[in-house]
Amino acid sequence: MLRYRYQRIVLLALTGLMSVYLLVPLMVSYGVTQWLSRQGYRNVIVQFGYPGWRELSIPVASFQLDLGDEVLMVSVTNVQVEYRLPDLLYGRVSRVVLPYLAIQMLNNHDRSFAGESAVETMSDEGSGSPWNVLTAGDLLRRIPVLPFEEVHLNQVTVFREQATGPLRKVAIQGVVEQRDGELGGRLSFQGRETASYTLSLTGHSATTWAATLVSQRPQAAPILTWQSTAQARDGQVQVEGKLEVNVRELAPFIALAVPIGPELSTVSGRVAVVWTATASSSAALSALRESPESLLQGSFQATVTLPALKGVAKQIAIASSGSFSGSPARLGWTIDPGVLGTATVNMQPRFVPGVVKSLLPSGDQPIRVEQRQPLQGTLYWSESPIRLTVDGPVHVGYGAATGPLVVEVDVARADLVGQDLVSGEGEFHLRGLVPPSLAAGVSVREVRGELWGRVVLKQHVVNGTVHVPSMMTVKQFEQGRVTMSSAIVEVAAPIPVRCTLESGQCAAGPGTLRIGAQGIRSAGYDVTLAEGTVTLQSAESVGSSWTAHGGIDLAGVRVGQLPVVTIPPSAWQVKFAANQAGFKADARGDLPGREGVVTAKVAHSFGGGEGSARVVLGPLQFDAEANRLQKWLPGLPASFDLTAGRITASTDLVWPSGRLKDSTTVAPQPGRITIQAEQVSAAVPGMAIQGINTTLDFDLQGFEQVRSSQPAVVNVAVIQTGVMLSNVSVTADLQWSLSDLWPVLDLKDFQASLFGGSVTSSGLHLDPAAPPHRLVLSLRRLDLAKLLSLEQQKGLQGTGLLNGTIPLAVTANGVSVKDGTVEAEAPGGVIRYQPSSESAALLADADSGMKLVAQALSNFQYTVLKAGVQYAEDGVLQLAAQLEGRNPDMKKSPPIHFNVNVQENVLALLQSLRLVQDIEESLQNKAQRR
């Protein structure tokens, strides 16, 4: 019975052991799968085989880990673990064989896990963490016994999709082993169509290592050599090391990390770093960064030539040497003077403001970085992200010396946090052509500039200053009918600039610019400018939007070769407000001693090209003293002047949108010009005019033609030519092609008062290109007494009313009359002649006929008075007069017929009359002032 019971116990034990043996692979596989899943791994598959006395197989193990833009996939099959049972009890195995291991880094097309942490955060490092337990002195200890003696890698495949070059996919095989406390290994790997590489390494402790990476090509130089040794001294641990890199041989590995292109044969260079690190033996590893006794110092030398960095630069050459010292948390460095690097770039840094980027040339541009003094800086390893400070000066040149634009920057200081430039200070110099895109909408052949300034970057805000002697030159400007051969804009006072990088907003001003211009022509006339000033009050830009406010002052503006008048130098003041849509401006033009002669308001759209302008001349107030027109315009002919009254002129122009292919040409729609004269007095050759009143409206057809909107009535109080015309009225209609010197004028419905009567005319068509110009004057009821007073003949008087017709012909040589007639109205009138004492003495010696005539004219009552009028262009008047009547005092005398021919120089007569009138007016004015 007892025996049977023992048999059952043994059977149950064997059954339990067998069950455990059968369940262990499943349980371990499940446990490992769940643990990896909790660590953030996905698609985990782990399968353990049944353990044997000397080996264990793992048929398959695979998992996936998301790393942001990439995903890591690891797959291993048929892993063999060999062991000895006694060693297994101590956690060691003899050999691990990996027949096939595949590691892939693929692009992550499923970003649903990209924001999750790759590995769940474990418990924080407490006092039991190895970093807190181990000290720097422990790094001198020999490498502890690892849980394996050998690891055989039969076929390992590593592939990264984002990598370039022949090492994009690598096959690795080799052995890693541990013997007598020394860890060593020899691994060989090969890329697509590349030679095999061998990595040999040996190490005794965590700080004493030697490693060599070399190609298996014949006579190949080592790619990388690492040596480090450590020793204890005076309670400190000192580690000395040396790293040498053959950049040419390293090229396939560089292509793994950065896209340098397929031209690996052009990669060359060498990097050498020698260092010494010192730390307290008792300092915990976690405290080495903060320990004041932790020191690091060394030197470096590097020369690197790369064919390209895809999307960034090409033909890259770097050369530098220097030293470094500090702590693991804060490392200072110094780079020796020389050329740090050259490259050809096709990108613009993120920290450059958009307004500056618009100036920089596009496409491939050379860049050169050099220093003429030692360059110093500090690297803060302990900060996250890492911070780097640079103390210059460093000279950066951008653009070819013979290219369109060259940028030179001297950096005095810079701070970088991670990949971002957070602060910096330096000076810049830009010279060359301004990109055509910035001059869009303005027709210029070339805009060339040279800017000097200083810039300070702090907390994503750029503060800069554009300094003297910054300037800009414009050549061959053309806008409508305005052309200019060249212009220079110079900075007269520093202009501050401020840009916020995050928002892209930039502001500038206040500042002052000087303007100089040559070869200006406007509407066919030469214009010269003595000096000009642009005052920029403020300017702002955000993206493609911008605004600007300021003013323009132009002094000594002259318009040359005007046909009639020479305008003295004028001064102009313009206040403007502009943005990306267009601009508005208020302008004022002054003459010497006269302000506000011309005012204007202009608005223009950059996008559509439409706009409008209103220009006002005056009001101009004239008087006979300081405000005579001759005082305003000294170049006027001496015979022309305005001495009283007020004149105002205004014009309104509108130009449409999108009517012309050439957006730089302004083509106004029909506009209007209004001229208003109030009580204007003028002096013109041969006459004085007083009391001119009129309002003239003209239509402006582009810049080609001006014509009256409707006939205008011109009223004149007095026209004095020696003969006074009063109450003058005429209807005027004008048409003027501005390419002609003079307009075509139609005068109609002429009316005036003369000698107590009236003068009328149906009109005159005055075309300077088609002389002669003919005018017929009708004389009605002219008072003979007033007419005879012109002769200034003492003792001659008369009465009666005269009518007549005077046909005038006007040419460039003067005025002429042919076959004019004057006739007295019925019943006639009286002519009385009382000779002076001198004339009476002459008549006493005359014959009887002359005495009879004198006696008849003493009281001659005429019934007929007719005169034929001929007037030549030289001013000679010929009258053929016929008188019929009798003297009632001579009762016995029959009716008498007189035929009289008179020749008179009318111009001389009128001149003498005007002279007498001027003397009389002068005496009256003096008497009134007394």
Side-chain angles (χ1 to χ4, degrees), residues 517-529:
Q518 302 292 331
I520 306 174
R521 285 187 66 83
S522 177
Y525 297 106
D526 292 332
V527 179
T528 59
L529 171 65

Side-chain angles (χ1 to χ4, degrees), residues 396-545:
V396 181
Y398 180 86
T402 58
L405 184 67
V406 178
V407 181
E408 295 181 341
V409 179
D410 288 307
V411 181
R413 180 183 57 82
D415 293 334
L416 293 93
V417 176
Q419 297 181 351
D420 296 327
L421 179 65
V422 297
S423 66
E425 183 176 350
E427 296 183 350
F428 63 87
H429 178 203
L430 284 74
R431 66 180 187 276
L433 293 175
V434 174
S437 60
L438 295 184
V442 180
S443 177
V444 293
R445 189 184 72 181
E446 177 182 288
V447 180
R448 184 176 294 274
E450 187 166 5
L451 301 179
W452 302 80
R454 184 172 183 81
V455 63
V456 176
L457 169 66
K458 188 175 183 180
Q459 298 298 327
H460 303 289
V461 176
V462 178
N463 288 285
T465 305
V466 180
H467 290 162
V468 178
S470 299
M471 62 178 295
M472 187 172 295
T473 302
V474 179
K475 292 185 178 180
Q476 298 300 324
F477 167 85
E478 182 175 355
Q479 184 78 30
R481 300 189 69 188
V482 179
T483 61
M484 180 173 56
S485 61
S486 65
I488 298 177
V489 181
E490 299 177 306
V491 174
I495 303 175
V497 180
R498 178 184 176 89
C499 292
T500 303
L501 300 183
E502 293 181 348
S503 62
Q505 182 177 4
C506 290
T512 304
L513 306 172
R514 284 192 299 267
I515 302 175
Q518 302 292 331
I520 306 174
R521 285 187 66 83
S522 177
Y525 297 106
D526 292 332
V527 179
T528 59
L529 171 65
E531 61 178 355
T533 302
V534 177
T535 302
L536 180 64
Q537 296 176 350
S538 64
E540 295 183 0
S541 69
V542 179
S544 59
S545 301

Side-chain angles (χ1 to χ4, degrees), residues 280-315:
S280 173
S281 300
S282 60
L285 297 183
S286 61
L288 289 180
R289 287 188 175 183
E290 290 77 17
S291 175
E293 299 182 30
S294 299
L295 300 176
L296 179 65
Q297 60 182 1
S299 62
F300 62 89
Q301 185 174 5
T303 57
V304 179
T305 301
L306 299 178
L309 286 178
K310 187 177 180 181
V312 178
K314 60 184 180 180
Q315 299 174 356

Side-chain angles (χ1 to χ4, degrees), residues 754-758 779-787 798-804 822-831 862-866:
L754 177 65
F755 300 136
S758 65
L779 309 179
R780 293 292 180 266
R781 301 181 67 81
L782 271 62
D783 189 343
L784 179 61
K786 295 181 179 181
L787 178 61
T799 63
L801 299 177
L802 304 179
N803 299 318
V822 177
E823 184 175 0
E825 282 188 2
V830 178
I831 295 178
Y862 64 88
T863 57
V864 175
L865 192 158
K866 295 181 179 179

Side-chain angles (χ1 to χ4, degrees), residues 174-194:
V175 178
V176 178
E177 58 184 3
Q178 185 180 27
R179 294 287 188 272
D180 300 328
E182 180 177 289
L183 182 65
R186 184 179 178 87
L187 300 176
S188 63
F189 52 90
Q190 184 176 11
R192 180 175 56 87
E193 299 179 357
T194 68

Side-chain angles (χ1 to χ4, degrees), residues 681-739:
S681 295
V684 297
M687 66 181 70
I689 306 174
Q690 298 177 359
I692 303 174
N693 291 278
T694 187
T695 298
L696 306 175
D697 291 322
F698 302 101
D699 291 329
L700 179 63
Q701 306 291 331
F703 290 115
E704 290 78 30
Q705 190 178 60
V706 175
R707 63 184 308 166
S708 298
S709 304
Q710 59 185 3
V713 177
V714 180
N715 295 314
V716 181
V718 174
I719 299 178
Q720 182 62 261
T721 63
V723 174
M724 185 176 71
L725 286 172
S726 61
N727 302 320
V728 180
S729 175
V730 65
T731 300
D733 194 0
L734 177 145
Q735 183 173 342
W736 192 358
S737 294
L738 298 182
S739 58

